[in-house]
Amino acid sequence: MTETPDVVWADHAGFLAQASRDDAEWYADVARNLVDPADVLLVDVGCGGAGMAAALALAAPRADVVAIDGEVEVLDAARDHLDQVAPRVRTSRADLTEPTALAEAVGGGADVVWASHVVHHAPDQQAAVDLLAGLLAPGGRLGLAEGGLTSRHLPWDLGVGRPGLELRLEAAQDRWFAAMRAGLPGTVRMPYGWTVALERAGLTDITTRSTLIERSAPLSGPDRSRIVDKLAHRVDHLRDTGMLEPAELEVWDRLLDPASPDWLARRDDTFVLDARSVHVGRR
């Protein structure tokens, strides 16, 4: 098995920015449930494409909003996105490995700290949750987008390759994730769930809210194209890791090739089924 490092986020900057645009409705819904009218400082840590930073700015037009990421290339793509939808959001470079720089980027006790699929890349996930909770002002809320269910898009039998292709892609992603976690220097297991992690960080009023995102077949052309792009991104991410069998990769290449008669964007039976979980605790 090929050695599996953590993600090189600079390689994903464009994809993250596009995903933020595609998921704007979900971000807006979550932001409305996180923000209070009296909030003055809202922070998106590990902002990626800054989808949540933009949603927070729109939900709280008088609050200061900060989008923070550790990768310059990711921040540049986020800035391009924000300039179109929420130009007043300020951006800053810092990450969970730099507690002092992170606190300076936030600039004070935050009313909302948001972190989406960020903590699970930290060697010590509980320490990362503790750090994020420490950025809150009294009464502030920490929102973690972690867990949920992997999105599904394809029928079980595509008529190409063995049935269950998408399930095996999910299993390969899970193997990659386990290898990524095991390969982080100083990695520490967290053998409990996210609500317990929030409680151990000293937070209260802890809740989990999951959102079902569903679009049934037949989809529009743009929706089909987005599915193909997302699946191509997942396959390319795993391509050189040894997690997918060569025969499986050949099938995926046929399905993702616009010149192939099996191109997924030509099918009228692709769909969107996604369940996203957000865990929130209050200081």
Side-chain angles (χ1 to χ4, degrees):
M1 183 179 296
T2 306
E3 182 181 357
T4 306
D6 196 2
V7 179
V8 180
W9 289 110
D11 296 341
H12 301 264
F15 178 82
L16 292 170
Q18 185 58 52
S20 291
R21 298 182 184 94
D22 294 343
D23 293 337
E25 184 176 342
W26 177 75
Y27 282 119
D29 179 63
V30 175
R32 284 191 293 268
N33 284 277
L34 276 177
V35 170
D36 287 340
D39 289 344
V40 296
L41 178 58
L42 314 174
V43 182
D44 184 355
V45 177
C47 67
M52 180 52 80
L56 291 171
L58 295 173
R62 290 180 290 184
D64 184 21
V65 183
V66 189
I68 299 172
D69 204 279
E71 295 289 341
V72 173
E73 292 87 347
V74 171
L75 275 179
D76 288 344
R79 183 73 265 166
D80 289 342
H81 176 216
L82 289 168
D83 285 343
Q84 298 175 43
V85 295
R88 69 183 183 85
V89 174
R90 60 185 174 93
T91 56
S92 185
R93 201 214 67 80
D95 62 33
L96 294 176
T97 67
E98 307 163 315
T100 300
L102 183 59
E104 291 175 352
V106 172
D111 297 297
V112 170
V113 172
W114 169 263
S116 176
H117 297 95
V118 174
V119 174
H120 67 231
H121 289 280
D124 187 336
Q125 297 173 97
Q126 183 64 63
V129 175
D130 294 348
L131 174 60
L132 294 170
L135 300 173
L136 295 171
R141 286 80 64 203
L142 171 59
L144 301 177
E146 295 282 1
L149 300 175
T150 304
S151 57
R152 299 285 174 82
H153 302 293
L154 306 178
W156 180 68
D157 190 349
L158 292 164
V160 182
R162 291 187 295 126
L165 184 70
E166 192 173 21
L167 296 176
R168 292 192 296 280
L169 181 65
E170 180 180 343
Q173 178 69 28
D174 188 66
R175 291 192 297 274
W176 173 87
F177 181 80
M180 181 275 292
R181 288 288 317 158
L184 291 174
T187 189
V188 177
R189 291 181 63 181
M190 192 180 81
Y192 45 84
W194 294 105
T195 55
V196 174
L198 291 170
E199 182 180 16
R200 293 191 180 192
L203 303 184
T204 61
D205 300 332
I206 296 165
T207 61
T208 296
R209 177 173 178 255
S210 296
T211 303
L212 177 67
I213 299 172
E214 184 175 17
R215 290 193 288 276
S216 300
L219 299 177
S220 67
D223 279 343
R224 295 186 198 185
S225 294
R226 278 190 284 270
I227 286 174
V228 172
D229 289 344
K230 289 179 180 180
L231 288 171
H233 184 261
R234 292 175 66 188
V235 171
D236 286 344
H237 173 59
L238 294 169
R239 185 175 297 276
D240 297 323
T241 66
M243 302 296 175
L244 285 173
E245 297 291 335
E248 295 277 90
L249 281 171
E250 290 180 9
V251 173
W252 279 113
D253 286 342
R254 288 170 59 187
L255 294 171
L256 299 171
D257 181 2
S260 168
D262 301 312
W263 188 36
L264 286 174
R266 293 194 175 93
R267 298 185 69 108
D268 60 5
D269 56 358
T270 55
F271 56 89
V272 175
L273 186 62
D274 196 354
R276 302 180 186 180
S277 295
V278 175
H279 316 280
V280 179
R282 182 182 297 268
R283 181 172 181 184

